[in-house]
Amino acid sequence: MIDKTVLKRLTEIVGKENVFDQKSDRITHSYDATGRSYLPDVVVYAGSAAEVSEVMKVANRYLIPVLPRGAGSGFTGGTLPVQGGIVLVLTRMDRILAIDTENLVAVVEPGVVTAELQRQVEKQGLFYPPDPASKEFCTMGGNVAECAGGPRCVKYGVTKDYIMGLEVVTPTGEIIRTGGKTLKNVVGYDLTKLFVGSEGTLGIVTRIVVKLLPKPEAKKTMLVQFSTIDGAARGVSEIIRAKIIPTTLEFLDASTIDCIRDISPVPLPEECRAILLIEVDGDREIIEKQAVRIMEVLQPLSVLDTRIAENAEESEEIWQVRRSVSSSMRKINPDKFNEDIVVPRSRVPDMIRALENLSREYGVPIVNFGHAGDGNIHVNVMVDLREEGMEEKVHNVMEDIFRTAVELEGSISGEHGIGISKMDYMGMEVSEITMRYMEKIKESFDPNNILNPGKIFQKPIAAEGAL
């Protein structure tokens, strides 16, 4: 519990209206997209870097854990207060401070919703490419903490490729600045890159400088149905071999198609066992040629049907096929374990075959879709945890999935991070000595271990507040 002295000081820093210690308020800030829940001792909404700094100084003095939080949309428990303490919410800091059309940069606060930034820069003919599925409600601070990705990464890269500078409050309450508005900067260590993807364990981002691009003139969306997953997988390689880098190159496997067949706006016959959703963008004349060339290289590969959108409405109809997936999976089983492994693009067919074998071996449905263009597969193990022994079975399936991904020269996470969900498996990919260097970095920033403790490589000390 937070004592009255600390509560009084927090109230002085951010105002009484921004400190919440009633149980109902604490419960609403106790969970994220994992569905797991840990009760914080108090919730604080900060309105500036100076307030964040003062909160961190109080937390250091009284050795209280602090959990920075945006929209709470993470899939690995990164914002869960596993050791109680202060949940520090940053959504009050939601201003777009500048859109610099001369230098093609924007400066934003961490509480800005990603899709809102995209809409505002597009009004000025500019483009911010990272597009996580949660972009309509996730925040830029969370995107930086997790190095968010999305379908457009195959052509444009992930969040780290667009972060040019940061203002960060360190765990000891100091305010530092890294990088800036220049494209070139080699002065000292690149701390900007270190903070991006650090899952809120090294510092609290309070201002972000992002790189922008000119908005593409047009885009072309295509949906291709295949009779085999091998045809779709070969299709990915053939498109790249044809020197075309699509904006998005998404795939759906047979189990995913079975989930959405009844509700898909595009007819999906029983023979359809794989889908590629392809989008290209750029100069109008060039993308028309690219669309024709893509259809040429795919046609010999067990293609059943193709659909090319001729306008925005038809493009949206194609994307509805992809968007209908998540909501449809619950009809298989009530409990979903969603992972985001990544393998080299050429190994996607090997990984899909391995997942099909694991599904048969363990007798559990595994639904797979994701970003074929960059090898990032969203693996969904669908089970009913009410069945006896199912929890242990899920753990074993996950272990085999992660081990296979690493054996195929891949990674256990492409964009969700480690948090608390994958810490048991991190040793499969990261050696002990590498882990020790990560621990030394954490210690140098956070000597009292108060900022988001119990995450990535640190086991939680206690979970007394678990609900």
Side-chain angles (χ1 to χ4, degrees):
M1 292 293 293
I2 302 285
D3 70 32
K4 290 182 179 177
T5 305
V6 173
L7 274 179
K8 181 173 181 294
R9 180 65 190 124
L10 293 174
T11 301
E12 289 171 351
I13 295 169
V14 300
K16 184 180 178 182
E17 67 278 14
N18 293 309
V19 177
F20 305 90
D21 63 345
Q22 296 299 307
K23 189 166 184 180
S24 57
D25 298 316
R26 292 156 57 205
I27 288 175
T28 57
H29 294 80
S30 67
Y31 59 88
D32 66 2
T34 62
R36 299 167 75 169
S37 182
Y38 297 85
L39 202 60
D41 295 303
V42 63
V43 179
V44 174
Y45 277 64
S48 68
E51 291 182 359
V52 173
S53 170
E54 290 304 311
V55 170
M56 293 311 300
K57 289 174 183 174
V58 171
N60 259 284
R61 179 177 177 185
Y62 293 94
L63 301 180
I64 302 168
V66 177
L67 297 304
R69 181 183 174 98
S73 56
F75 278 104
T76 57
T79 60
L80 295 179
V82 294
Q83 294 175 202
I86 301 168
V87 165
L88 185 58
V89 185
L90 301 167
T91 51
R92 283 178 62 208
M93 302 172 66
D94 62 351
R95 294 176 299 167
I96 297 175
L97 300 169
I99 297 175
D100 182 343
T101 58
E102 189 171 352
N103 293 301
L104 299 187
V105 299
V107 183
V108 303
E109 292 185 321
V112 170
V113 172
T114 307
E116 181 59 20
L117 171 64
Q118 292 173 329
R119 282 189 282 269
Q120 293 304 317
V121 302
E122 286 176 18
K123 286 179 183 176
Q124 304 201 36
L126 300 174
F127 184 46
Y128 177 69
D131 59 338
S134 56
K135 66 180 182 179
E136 290 294 341
F137 52 91
C138 69
T139 58
M140 287 298 295
N143 287 188
V144 172
E146 300 295 333
C147 190
R152 293 197 289 234
C153 294
V154 60
K155 179 175 180 179
Y156 290 107
V158 295
T159 298
K160 68 181 178 185
D161 300 309
Y162 293 87
I163 305 304
M164 299 172 66
L166 295 171
E167 177 186 79
V168 179
V169 176
T170 69
T172 50
E174 296 157 306
I175 300 175
I176 65 172
R177 292 176 181 81
T178 69
K181 289 187 174 182
T182 58
L183 290 172
K184 295 179 178 178
N185 184 336
V186 292
V187 179
Y189 295 143
D190 190 347
L191 295 182
T192 306
K193 286 285 191 290
L194 179 61
F195 284 115
V196 178
S198 63
E199 303 192 29
T201 61
L202 300 181
I204 300 176
V205 172
T206 51
R207 189 168 294 196
I208 308 161
V209 181
V210 301
K211 181 174 69 176
L212 304 174
L213 301 177
K215 183 182 176 185
E217 180 186 11
K219 64 182 179 181
K220 196 84 176 172
T221 310
M222 296 156 269
L223 186 141
V224 184
Q225 299 182 33
F226 295 84
S227 59
T228 67
I229 186 68
D230 283 333
R234 284 183 57 201
V236 173
S237 299
E238 291 302 320
I239 291 170
I240 302 299
R241 190 170 290 128
K243 309 287 190 299
I244 299 172
I245 305 296
T247 316
T248 61
L249 187 42
E250 300 282 291
F251 86 97
L252 281 65
D253 77 351
S255 53
T256 306
I257 295 166
D258 289 341
C259 286
I260 62 171
R261 185 168 280 113
D262 294 340
I263 61 168
S264 169
V266 176
L268 303 175
E270 290 290 337
E271 300 77 35
C272 176
R273 309 309 290 163
I275 287 174
L276 287 183
L277 195 163
I278 308 155
E279 194 165 88
V280 291
D281 68 4
D283 182 87
R284 200 175 300 278
E285 287 185 18
I286 291 176
I287 65 171
E288 291 295 338
K289 292 178 181 176
Q290 288 181 330
V292 170
R293 181 62 182 143
I294 286 171
M295 290 301 150
E296 287 175 352
V297 301
L298 294 183
Q299 205 55 50
L301 304 176
S302 64
V303 170
L304 294 173
D305 189 36
T306 62
R307 179 170 295 213
I308 302 176
E310 297 298 332
N311 52 50
E313 289 73 25
E314 291 182 10
S315 174
E316 178 60 24
E317 188 176 66
I318 287 177
W319 273 107
Q320 280 301 325
V321 175
R322 171 68 170 82
R323 295 193 184 107
S324 63
V325 171
S326 291
S327 60
S328 302
M329 286 190 292
R330 298 284 184 191
K331 65 185 179 184
I332 300 175
N333 267 320
D335 300 302
K336 179 175 76 170
F337 291 82
N338 171 21
E339 300 300 345
D340 69 319
I341 58 170
V342 58
V343 295
R345 193 161 45 212
S346 62
R347 309 304 297 269
V348 169
D350 299 325
M351 192 69 225
I352 293 296
R353 276 191 284 273
L355 291 167
E356 290 173 346
N357 290 337
L358 289 172
S359 178
R360 283 191 290 271
E361 179 184 343
Y362 285 97
V364 295
I366 302 179
V367 179
N368 309 295
F369 59 93
H371 319 308
D374 56 24
N376 189 188
I377 304 170
H378 290 289
V379 179
N380 297 271
V381 180
M382 305 303 300
V383 299
D384 186 346
L385 288 177
R386 293 171 300 183
E387 293 180 22
E388 189 176 350
M390 186 54 75
E391 202 154 332
E392 182 182 358
K393 183 182 282 189
V394 168
H395 177 82
N396 293 336
V397 173
M398 290 300 178
E399 192 169 281
D400 283 349
I401 290 172
F402 292 139
R403 182 178 296 109
T404 304
V406 173
E407 287 173 354
L408 291 173
E409 301 180 89
S411 171
I412 66 174
S413 181
E415 51 190 13
H416 292 172
I418 299 299
I420 59 173
S421 299
K422 296 179 189 168
M423 57 170 52
D424 290 342
Y425 312 105
M426 195 169 164
M428 291 180 178
E429 183 175 336
V430 179
S431 71
E432 267 187 46
I433 190 165
T434 305
M435 201 98 74
R436 284 206 299 275
Y437 275 102
M438 291 185 183
E439 290 167 352
K440 288 178 186 296
I441 291 171
K442 169 67 173 170
E443 288 167 10
S444 69
F445 277 93
D446 188 9
N448 290 322
N449 192 30
I450 61 163
L451 184 59
N452 210 356
K455 306 292 168 62
I456 306 179
F457 41 73
Q458 293 183 332
K459 298 290 183 186
I461 294 171
E464 295 176 358
L467 297 176

